[in-house]
Amino acid sequence: MKKIIPIEEGDFYLTPEGYRCFTEQYHLKRGYCCENGCRHCPYGFTKEKANKL
């Protein structure tokens, strides 16, 4: 079961399209990479790297 991380100020912002975009701060609090190619991934994962695997 995944632990629930409370959302705090600075954890995300709204894109012009209205989507939530999680920041590096949130990803570091979460503590792992989801391997979805997040815009602010502090773990260095990108969609390009996934395509090479």
Side-chain angles (χ1 to χ4, degrees), residues 45-53:
F45 186 85
T46 63
K47 289 182 180 180
E48 291 79 29
K49 286 183 183 178
N51 291 335
K52 291 181 182 178
L53 297 178

Side-chain angles (χ1 to χ4, degrees), residues 20-44:
R20 260 189 230 174
C21 185
F22 289 104
T23 63
E24 182 177 356
Q25 172 182 311
Y26 175 78
H27 292 294
L28 290 172
K29 280 192 331 189
R30 187 174 62 188
Y32 65 91
C33 180
C34 62
E35 297 185 354
N36 283 323
C38 300
R39 185 178 294 178
H40 301 290
C41 180
Y43 302 104

Side-chain angles (χ1 to χ4, degrees), residues 6-20:
I7 303 289
E8 298 174 347
E9 188 174 333
D11 283 347
F12 73 93
Y13 61 89
L14 294 178
T15 66
E17 298 83 19
Y19 296 106
R20 260 189 230 174

